[in-house]
Amino acid sequence: MASLPTASVPAPLHHVTGHRSRPFPLGIADCVPGVVDVPGAVNVAVYAPGQEALDVVYTGPGFPVDAVPTAADLQRAPLFDVTDRVHHGTVPGIGHGSLYAFVPRDRRIPGLSRTGRPTSGKERALPQLLLDPYGDAVVERGGRYWSVRVPRDFDWSGVQRPHVPLRDTIVYEAHVIGQTRLHPGIPEELRGTYAGLAHPVMVRYLQELGITAVELLPVHHHRDEDHLQDKGLVNYWGYNSVSFFAPHPGYATAAARAGGPKAIQDEFKGMVKLLHEAGLEVILDVVYNHTAEEGPGGPTFCWRGLGERQYYRHDASGGYLDTTGCGNALDFTDPQVVRMTLDSLRRWVTDFQVDGFRFDLAVTMCRDEAHHFTSRHPFLVAAQADPVLAGTKLIAEPWDVAVGGWQTGHFPPGWSDWNDRFRDVVRDFWVADRGAMEHGGSGGSTARLADCLAGSAGLFAGSGRSALASVNLVTAHDGFTLRDLVSYNEKHNEANGEDNRDGNSHNRSYNHGVEGPTEDEAIRDARAQTARNLMATLLVSLGVPMITAGDEIGRTQRGNNNAYCQDNEISWTDWDLEERQQRMLATTRRLIAIRKEFLAGQPYSYPSREPGYLMWFSDRGLPMTPDDWSDPSRRLLQLLIGVPGGRSTGLIVFNGALDRTSFRLPTPESVRGVMDDAGSALQSFELQLATCRHGDRRRGAQFSPGDRDTIEGNSITLYSV
């Protein structure tokens, strides 16, 4: 960061004497009337255990949004009081629009004396300014970060959060830029912005798709790592936080950025408001496990300068203990780190009205003093007990990169987990197994697939949770897209500048005969069918499904499975759809509609307290036997799903074999006692959807229990009852 410019006229120290300041709340707050009655004075408090004495430097209110502060613009005030390592004081003149930062008291700013006397100009330049961890916003001026005080008022016009029940939730993971950057129906000046995501064209698309929640990749203010800047790349995904309280300004429109932090925050709030009006929830992917200060020797602009030993986790030898792979890990054994995180979450719920959070590398946030994961960690307990966070969706990425880092299924009640086991098993059954069988090998049995379809009950039962604790996914932002999963055997990350060393090399993918793009129609049809199988399995399984944005239209990243630094056409969704992509979109919409119709016919308690029935049948129409479950050559499975007394029952047939298979629908004896939608004994099955190439031609076909039907190889057929 650059040095602050000098000025010929210094400013004296400013502070309010004779008035009591408070160590809470942290950040900047209006003084309590009757305690401090000095006009314009605010209470400033910051947890800075690594500093003996701390001052705040600041501009006056309404500082120009594009101006670089000089010493003539700045005032400096000491935080004389220290309580439990929180430095605090009452300071006049920090109003809305003021830029401010902290500086150790023994550090001097050229042209700005601590004593108010003129300086010689020979004093050492200030090596760093330290951000307020609780700052409303962050701006960069003259190569330095400054915190900004921002008014929080906004006209929500009575719009409330949708509060979609977890059982009805369908998550859509999207990037603010990538979702609309290439959309021809959105005005160019709005593409790739908060406003663009809430444009009527995009809102209508999301509603017609049928999803209920948009999960945004990180929108906290972030910076590009030094090694990316050296390569001319950016951190597109945003997992590199500069502030946990401020939205990223780079996702706002040019008009909002020109208007300053208040306009940026209003644009974000306006996006949330419009999505809520459409019945869509907003979930934020949040990164509290590490900060953008990187490892030792990385940039210092906040936590490291305020108290490196307390904010960051260290090992027994005093070195950084990095459980994230990002250079540092915040230390959640320190109560103030837990408090900072909870205060941040509360702000996003109260001020920005968001509906939930997905916690990146959540295991790092739940490690104790011995660095072990515990489901009774104070953060988990506090988050679940917090009245402000009550009713929000709390979703864990249940792993990190250190020993003991895989904890899927081990988070406590009130939390849902990304289910990586679901991802791997479903990929194996439909993708990797197909590749193995087409090359003379064998696939796996249906047993593991059945466990996933049933909500991975065994994985979550130990934590006292139901299938709703399982956030099911086949793809996510990291890894192959759905289309690339069926188009590439190997990753192709050369554009990332790391000689294709980055990214996971074991993807359970299969290119269906040719690596990457091909004009072979048979291969393209096979890929499209496998993709439909994956989407169908995701949307018929118990649990909470998550679709990665663009998978519903066959988005490709050209084989890049780690596009974190690609803010370009590699990552952006291309909305120019060919016929197979349109078929994929229509199939996804239809699957979501079938899912919603089925759930609407079940008791409200399903499937958390009323698990219903899952009846499994072989190709003979009879209940599965132990031999059926264990034999990898028997890759046809029928699932009859419903609830006694419910109004919807469905039959789903999965054929993981290569060839068309004749099978018998469940026999009358096998389904005796099962009722149809009218409450009568089950009498017929009606074909609703098939993922095979010409599956739509058979829609509406009627069958009786015990009838024979055929199913194409590597396909799924859905019947209503």
Side-chain angles (χ1 to χ4, degrees):
M1 293 286 186
S3 301
L4 283 173
T6 61
S8 57
V9 180
L13 286 172
H14 291 263
H15 60 91
V16 178
T17 59
H19 295 277
R20 184 178 63 189
S21 66
R22 296 187 174 188
F24 60 88
L26 292 170
I28 290 182
D30 292 328
C31 290
V32 178
V35 176
V36 178
D37 291 321
V38 177
V42 295
N43 193 87
V44 181
V46 58
Y47 178 58
Q51 296 291 339
E52 291 188 5
L54 205 61
D55 295 347
V56 59
V57 294
Y58 59 98
T59 73
F63 193 75
V65 296
D66 56 351
V68 178
T70 67
D73 302 312
L74 297 174
Q75 301 182 66
R76 181 171 181 168
L79 303 180
F80 281 132
D81 300 322
V82 181
T83 304
D84 296 330
R85 299 187 288 188
V86 174
H87 297 245
H88 52 102
T90 52
V91 181
I94 303 180
H96 293 141
S98 289
L99 276 58
Y100 70 99
F102 301 112
V103 60
R105 190 162 304 151
D106 61 354
R107 302 296 174 87
R108 300 182 182 276
I109 301 175
L112 184 63
S113 170
R114 292 188 298 111
T115 63
R117 294 191 297 269
T119 63
S120 66
K122 297 181 180 180
E123 293 177 294
R124 183 174 56 157
L126 180 69
Q128 65 194 36
L129 296 175
L130 302 176
L131 289 172
D132 180 1
Y134 281 66
D136 294 328
V138 175
V139 297
E140 187 174 354
R141 297 288 182 266
R144 289 186 177 277
Y145 287 129
W146 295 84
S147 296
V148 188
R149 192 178 184 210
V150 180
R152 301 182 182 181
D153 59 296
F154 182 78
D155 181 10
W156 291 97
S157 303
V159 175
Q160 300 294 314
R161 293 195 291 269
H163 291 294
V164 178
L166 196 58
R167 76 156 202 174
D168 297 327
T169 297
I170 302 172
V171 179
Y172 187 79
E173 187 197 39
H175 192 288
V176 172
I177 292 178
Q179 186 68 11
T180 65
R181 185 65 180 82
L182 298 177
H183 201 295
I186 295 176
E188 187 171 356
E189 67 272 15
L190 302 184
R191 296 176 191 170
T193 68
Y194 300 125
L197 191 63
H199 187 273
V201 168
M202 183 52 57
V203 171
R204 183 167 58 252
Y205 172 82
L206 297 172
Q207 288 178 309
E208 292 175 351
L209 180 60
I211 59 95
T212 68
V214 179
E215 180 178 301
L216 297 178
L217 266 67
V219 297
H220 287 172
H221 193 127
H222 60 264
R223 73 182 293 272
D224 305 323
E225 292 90 337
D226 291 345
H227 77 274
L228 290 178
Q229 296 183 47
D230 292 342
K231 295 177 181 178
L233 297 171
V234 299
N235 189 322
Y236 172 67
W237 288 349
Y239 291 87
N240 204 42
S241 299
V242 169
S243 170
F244 299 125
F245 290 78
H248 188 62
Y251 298 161
T253 59
R257 296 197 303 273
K262 177 67 163 69
I264 292 169
Q265 296 190 14
D266 284 352
E267 183 175 312
F268 183 94
K269 293 175 182 178
M271 173 195 72
V272 174
K273 177 181 176 180
L274 291 172
L275 291 173
H276 282 176
E277 282 184 329
L280 299 170
E281 293 187 314
V282 178
I283 298 172
L284 302 186
D285 190 335
V286 287
V287 189
Y288 295 108
N289 58 79
H290 74 281
T291 78
E293 290 187 316
E294 305 182 30
T300 296
F301 51 80
C302 184
W303 305 275
R304 179 178 287 129
L306 295 173
E308 178 178 38
R309 292 290 307 177
Q310 290 75 23
Y311 278 106
Y312 293 124
R313 188 175 288 272
H314 289 73
D315 58 25
S317 63
Y320 274 26
L321 181 60
D322 179 14
T323 61
T324 69
C326 300
N328 66 63
L330 281 171
D331 187 356
F332 276 77
T333 67
D334 190 296
Q336 291 288 3
V337 172
V338 174
R339 177 183 178 184
M340 175 183 69
T341 302
L342 292 169
D343 286 342
S344 168
L345 295 171
R346 293 186 195 105
R347 177 165 187 217
W348 288 98
V349 170
T350 56
D351 289 350
F352 295 99
Q353 293 290 297
V354 304
D355 304 279
F357 306 92
R358 177 267 188 188
F359 294 84
D360 181 65
L361 300 181
V363 170
T364 287
M365 305 169 66
C366 310
R367 290 182 179 269
D368 59 19
E369 291 83 354
H371 315 306
H372 299 148
F373 171 83
T374 170
S375 62
R376 298 296 299 169
H377 191 282
F379 168 71
L380 295 174
V381 174
Q384 182 61 15
D386 192 285
V388 175
L389 302 183
T392 61
K393 293 176 171 65
L394 304 176
I395 302 170
E397 182 184 38
W399 52 80
D400 63 16
V401 303
V403 174
W406 186 82
Q407 296 295 337
T408 306
H410 298 152
F411 276 71
W415 286 73
S416 299
D417 302 2
W418 268 25
N419 190 345
D420 55 322
R421 182 183 294 180
F422 180 98
R423 176 198 64 201
D424 294 347
V425 169
V426 172
R427 287 186 179 193
D428 280 342
F429 188 84
W430 292 118
V431 187
D433 284 1
R434 177 169 185 167
M437 291 187 295
E438 288 189 353
H439 289 84
S442 62
S445 72
T446 57
R448 295 174 69 219
L449 178 67
D451 179 64
C452 292
L453 296 169
S456 306
L459 185 60
F460 292 96
S463 61
R465 295 180 291 167
S466 72
L468 296 182
S470 176
V471 176
N472 298 329
L473 66 152
V474 176
T475 67
H477 63 276
D478 51 345
F480 280 143
T481 66
L482 194 64
R483 179 173 172 179
D484 289 354
L485 186 67
V486 300
S487 303
Y488 293 89
N489 285 349
E490 308 295 338
K491 62 183 180 179
H492 296 270
N493 299 352
E494 290 81 6
N496 296 355
E498 299 182 39
D499 297 322
N500 205 34
R501 294 188 303 270
D502 62 306
N504 196 335
S505 297
H506 183 50
N507 297 284
R508 296 175 165 86
S509 62
Y510 175 49
N511 64 19
H512 291 72
V514 174
E515 187 75 354
T518 179
E519 297 302 316
D520 188 309
E521 294 297 318
I523 290 177
R524 295 174 72 182
D525 284 341
R527 290 173 173 176
Q529 182 166 313
T530 301
R532 291 192 295 271
N533 291 339
L534 293 164
M535 185 66 76
T537 304
L538 174 66
L539 289 169
V540 302
S541 297
L542 292 182
V544 178
M546 186 188 83
I547 300 170
T548 303
D551 278 355
E552 77 279 10
I553 57 172
R555 182 175 73 90
T556 179
Q557 291 180 171
R558 307 172 192 173
N560 192 319
N561 75 349
N562 190 35
Y564 76 103
C565 56
Q566 300 299 325
D567 186 6
N568 51 46
E569 289 84 355
I570 290 176
S571 298
W572 302 338
T573 297
D574 184 352
W575 296 95
D576 184 14
L577 309 183
E578 49 92 11
E579 185 275 333
R580 289 182 184 85
Q581 292 175 286
Q582 293 173 358
R583 166 84 187 276
M584 185 68 187
L585 176 59
T587 299
T588 304
R589 286 173 172 168
R590 177 66 180 146
L591 285 164
I592 291 175
I594 290 172
R595 179 184 179 90
K596 288 184 172 182
E597 183 180 356
F598 173 79
L599 287 172
Q602 309 308 336
Y604 185 78
S605 58
Y606 176 85
S608 58
R609 298 190 305 277
E610 172 56 71
Y613 54 78
L614 300 170
M615 302 174 68
W616 309 96
F617 302 92
S618 70
D619 58 351
R620 304 180 301 280
L622 300 174
M624 293 283 285
T625 67
D627 286 344
D628 292 329
W629 285 120
S630 61
D631 187 347
S633 69
R634 300 179 183 177
R635 286 177 58 85
L636 188 144
L637 177 67
Q638 301 186 68
L639 167 60
L640 189 67
I641 182 172
V643 177
R647 293 184 291 105
S648 298
T649 301
L651 176 69
I652 313 164
V653 182
F654 305 86
N655 184 15
L658 295 178
D659 301 320
R660 177 187 295 181
T661 302
S662 174
F663 68 99
R664 191 179 184 190
L665 292 162
T667 64
E669 297 78 13
S670 299
V671 295
R672 184 174 290 117
V674 177
M675 300 294 154
D676 63 15
D677 293 357
S680 303
L682 193 155
Q683 296 180 353
S684 66
F685 299 97
E686 180 178 339
L687 197 153
Q688 295 292 332
L689 182 146
T691 63
C692 59
R693 182 181 177 188
H694 300 299
D696 291 343
R697 297 177 182 177
R698 303 184 63 220
R699 184 175 174 181
Q702 299 277 342
F703 303 87
S704 297
D707 282 355
R708 299 202 71 84
D709 194 9
T710 59
I711 182 170
E712 296 295 327
N714 282 295
S715 72
I716 301 172
T717 303
L718 280 68
Y719 305 81
S720 61
V721 173

